[in-house]
Amino acid sequence: MNPRHIARVVTGIETSDGAGVRLRRSIGSQRGLYHDPFLMLDEFGTDKPEEYIAGFPPHPHRGFETVTYMLEGHMLHEDHMGNRGELGPGGVQWMTAGRGVIHSEMPQQQEGRLRGFQLWINLPAAEKMKPAAYRDIPAAEIPLVRFEGGQVRLVAGRLALGSSTHEGAVHGISREPLFADVHLEAGGVVTIPVDAGASALVYLYEGSARLGGDDVPPRSAALLGAGDSVTLHAGASGARMLLLAAQPLNEAVVQYGPFVMNTREEIEQALADYRSGRLTETA
Ligand code: CO
């Protein structure tokens, strides 16, 4: 196997979004700073209610997917299709905006800690206008792959470890991304195959780890270079990190806020459709 190394670090930057939710944004923190097809990665995590309580009131998306992965706390999401679900610790909401979705994500707690991630994954031109779809995956449905020295919560994609191959909870998604939450005990080591050619990154959110001889930067996106595997070594207090990988689209990206299309004209169309109430119209 040809191990990947850290090629570039996108440092997480404190910012806020929605109606004032404090979060730490790495990919997507500056215009054009994406890792095709990953457009944005936010980590939210605070125990101060005033930093999350206002949530993300109704807002639109078109042209990509939003993945919300909760570590702690509860959020209620609702969308224009009538979907309604509570997202709890370890749960995932996988929203394919496609042609258009209008949804809200609101904390369901007055106190305590709210912690998790939101990832935006781009859709290819041929799929940007497909009907919106939504999947709610409770924590119990996410496969737990155990190995000596740690475990992986396999949200999406295929994971080959040793002689066995495991399937994530989410299937049939455009580009078949790998979304793995890797937990290593102190000193734990794991080698995970990652498709050559895929864009891959590691986001360390707890503990410390090394990858290919380098320290993995905390709470930042470590973008990986070429190769077909990733070897992670945990430090003295263990490590928790997301490993994300997907084939790049290699298409033009034109973004205006919550709309991500291929051309400026398509963005103007999205804005016009949103203003006239046709964003989420089917057929
Ligand atoms: Co949203």
Side-chain angles (χ1 to χ4, degrees), residues 56-61 64 66 68 93 95 101-105 118 120 258:
F56 301 88
H59 58 276
H61 295 291
F64 61 102
T66 74
T68 307
Q93 184 204 356
M95 171 72 76
V101 70
I102 296 174
H103 72 164
S104 62
E105 296 141 305
Q118 188 166 92
W120 288 10

Side-chain angles (χ1 to χ4, degrees), residues 61-64 96-101 123 127-133:
H61 295 291
R62 173 178 279 182
F64 61 102
T96 302
R99 178 191 167 91
V101 70
L123 283 169
E127 295 184 49
K128 282 185 177 294
M129 295 297 276
K130 70 181 182 184

Side-chain angles (χ1 to χ4, degrees), residues 22-23 42-46 68 70 75 114-118:
R22 293 293 299 172
L23 50 84
D42 286 349
E43 177 193 5
F44 47 93
T46 173
T68 307
M70 292 294 285
M75 296 254 264
L114 188 78
R115 192 176 177 213
F117 297 93
Q118 188 166 92

Side-chain angles (χ1 to χ4, degrees), residues 47-267:
D47 50 15
K48 300 189 187 102
E50 67 273 19
E51 291 184 351
Y52 63 71
I53 206 76
F56 301 88
H59 58 276
H61 295 291
R62 173 178 279 182
F64 61 102
E65 302 189 283
T66 74
V67 181
T68 307
Y69 179 48
M70 292 294 285
L71 296 176
E72 294 176 62
H74 295 266
M75 296 254 264
L76 177 71
H77 54 83
E78 294 180 276
D79 66 39
H80 75 278
M81 298 175 280
N83 295 309
R84 183 184 160 92
E86 192 174 312
L87 199 55
V92 173
Q93 184 204 356
W94 200 292
M95 171 72 76
T96 302
R99 178 191 167 91
V101 70
I102 296 174
H103 72 164
S104 62
E105 296 141 305
M106 301 299 288
Q108 294 300 291
Q109 59 194 49
Q110 302 297 318
E111 54 181 32
R113 198 161 155 82
L114 188 78
R115 192 176 177 213
F117 297 93
Q118 188 166 92
L119 173 70
W120 288 10
I121 309 176
N122 206 2
L123 283 169
E127 295 184 49
K128 282 185 177 294
M129 295 297 276
K130 70 181 182 184
Y134 155 97
R135 300 171 208 219
D136 207 356
I137 304 111
E141 289 178 19
I142 296 177
L144 192 60
V145 181
R146 297 174 197 276
F147 52 88
E148 197 183 328
Q151 60 186 39
V152 172
R153 300 192 77 233
L154 191 55
V155 174
R158 186 169 290 146
L159 177 65
L161 273 185
S163 57
S164 46
T165 299
H166 307 268
E167 294 285 343
V170 178
H171 299 275
I173 286 291
S174 181
R175 322 303 294 176
E176 294 289 353
L178 172 68
F179 188 125
D181 183 8
V182 182
H183 300 184
L184 292 177
E185 297 163 7
V189 181
V190 67
T191 294
I192 297 176
V194 173
D195 290 344
S199 297
L201 70 95
V202 169
Y203 189 99
L204 176 74
Y205 64 90
E206 248 182 66
S208 62
R210 289 175 69 79
L211 191 171
D214 294 314
D215 286 332
V216 181
R219 305 185 67 199
S220 296
L223 313 187
L224 307 185
D228 59 11
S229 69
V230 178
T231 299
L232 300 162
H233 293 254
S237 56
R240 292 188 174 212
M241 60 208 125
L242 301 183
L243 170 62
L244 308 174
Q247 294 294 329
L249 303 179
N250 297 311
E251 293 179 0
V253 176
V254 182
Q255 177 172 3
Y256 182 81
F259 308 123
V260 182
M261 303 300 290
N262 299 109
T263 67
R264 201 190 143 100
E265 290 69 32
E266 290 167 346
I267 290 292

